[in-house]
Every structure is written in structure tokens, then in C-alpha cells.
Amino acid sequence: GAGVSQSPSNKVTEKGKDVELRCDPISGHTALYWYRQSLGQGLEFLIYFQGNSAPDKSGLPSDRFSAERTGGSVSTLTIQRTQQEDSAVYLCASSAYRDTGELFFGEGSRLTVL
Amino acid sequence: GDSVTQMEGPVTLSEEAFLTINCTYTATGYPSLFWYVQYPGEGLQLLLKATKADDKGSNKGFEATYRKETTSFHLEKGSVQVSDSAVYFCALFPNQAGTALIFGKGTTLSVSS
């Protein structure tokens, strides 16, 4: 597609449920990032995929969070047993070049945990 | 660790006013510096960048100069427009393999006519 596509755009769930957020990066982009944007907290790095290398998971806040990237393209971020503090906008970005700061962002998935 | 600090908003200006949004950074190496912008209802997009000291990034009338001596990358525009209303994020890339972009908390700019 022309840009980074994320789905769903909005998700409301109950505390304790699992959620999956999907990211479809720009075709040919080898790097894929997940960030979390909370009110007043800016953008928090979660996880980074680069080609076939092992992902950098250093930003995941707890073991309830996991992500995978299949076939070097689509990525899914999974949050298990959601908590109210997980409410945020989850942003996906991709990059054509390895190890640069030039990222293309999707519009995000807004997660609300009741 | 590396970090970015930017002025808190909101910043409220009248059209044609001069804009400065301050950004300072802490880094152990030689980072690249960026400004990203998030317009209402849209995803973040790269506004400008600078990859080494004394470089000036510019785009859409915005400018920022990479000042190593003051560890700063302040965003400026001489005459803002209503369409510039957005959230602006200063960001740092550590230029080390396998690292991610580090963002400041964002500054909301509101321009009125």
C-alpha cells in the first residue's frame, strides 16, 4: 500500500481480555517499530524488527506484551490480560533503511481498556 | 541513557508570529536529530533532520540547527500559519546499530487567525 496501515483504528476492551493490533508496513521496508503514545508521556519505544534479525524487545513494559512479524512484512502486537494502564495509542512505523531515524508512521490504533 | 527534553506546551500564537520550540538532548555518541510533526487526525511525519553538528535542517519554512556545544536542536519558524497547528516532537537517533528513535514528549502548537 501507499503508507503504513494499522488496524483496528479503535479498540475498546474489558480489563483482562487479550487484544491484537495489526501493522502492515510500506512494501519493501525492512525495519518495523512499535511505539506507544500516552497522554503527556510522549512516544515510548516498545519493539523493533530489522529484517531477519532477532527483534529488539527492550521496550516492552511487561511479559503481557509480545509482537511478531511474519514473512518480514505484517506485524501483530499482542497484549494479554489487558489493564487500564494499557490504554494508549499504539503506533507502528517502518523504515526503508537500516538503522536510521527516518520513519514512516501509521495513524495508530487507539486502545481503551475499561 | 540518551534522552530528549523539549519545552512543554501548549504554545498558543497568532498567525504570522515567530515560533521557537526548544529541544535539548543528552547523548553519549554522535546522534542524528529530527523534528516530527503530528497534524490533527494524522500520523506522525518527518518534518526535518540534521545528521551532524552545525547542520541545519529545513522544510516548510521551519528550521532547526544542530548545536553540539549547547546540545540543542530548537525548532523555529518566522511566520506561523493556522495550518501549522499540530503536535511537534523532537527526536534523537543514537546512530548505533539496532537502536530506535528516542522521542521527546511533544509540544502542542495552536495558531489562531
Side-chain angles (χ1 to χ4, degrees), chain B residues 27-61:
Chain B
T28 53
Y30 302 93
S32 296
L33 300 173
F34 302 81
W35 278 98
Y36 277 79
V37 59
Q38 187 174 33
Y39 297 104
E42 299 184 16
L44 272 84
Q45 56 188 270
L46 177 63
L47 180 59
L48 53 84
K49 68 174 184 177
T51 58
K52 62 182 186 299
D54 299 325
D55 269 4
K56 178 186 283 187
S58 62
N59 187 23
K60 299 182 179 181

Side-chain angles (χ1 to χ4, degrees), chain B residues 3-47:
Chain B
S3 65
V4 174
T5 303
Q6 60 182 108
M7 63 186 288
E8 294 189 18
V11 174
T12 303
L13 295 173
S14 298
E15 207 165 23
E16 300 184 1
F18 184 85
L19 168 71
T20 300
I21 300 178
N22 291 336
C23 172
T24 57
Y25 68 91
T26 301
T28 53
Y30 302 93
S32 296
L33 300 173
F34 302 81
W35 278 98
Y36 277 79
V37 59
Q38 187 174 33
Y39 297 104
E42 299 184 16
L44 272 84
Q45 56 188 270
L46 177 63
L47 180 59

Side-chain angles (χ1 to χ4, degrees), chain A residues 51-108:
Chain A
N52 295 321
S53 303
D56 175 0
K57 304 179 182 180
S58 60
L60 294 178
S62 77
D63 59 7
R64 296 185 297 102
F65 288 73
S66 63
E68 64 178 18
R69 188 178 185 190
T70 54
S73 182
V74 172
S75 177
T76 302
L77 176 69
T78 301
I79 309 173
Q80 295 179 309
R81 305 181 303 281
T82 52
Q83 304 295 313
Q84 288 184 334
E85 61 263 28
D86 300 334
S87 297
V89 177
Y90 290 83
L91 298 174
C92 177
S94 68
S95 176
Y97 305 106
R98 183 188 180 99
D99 298 329
T100 78
E102 296 189 37
L103 306 185
F104 292 80
F105 282 83
E107 293 186 14

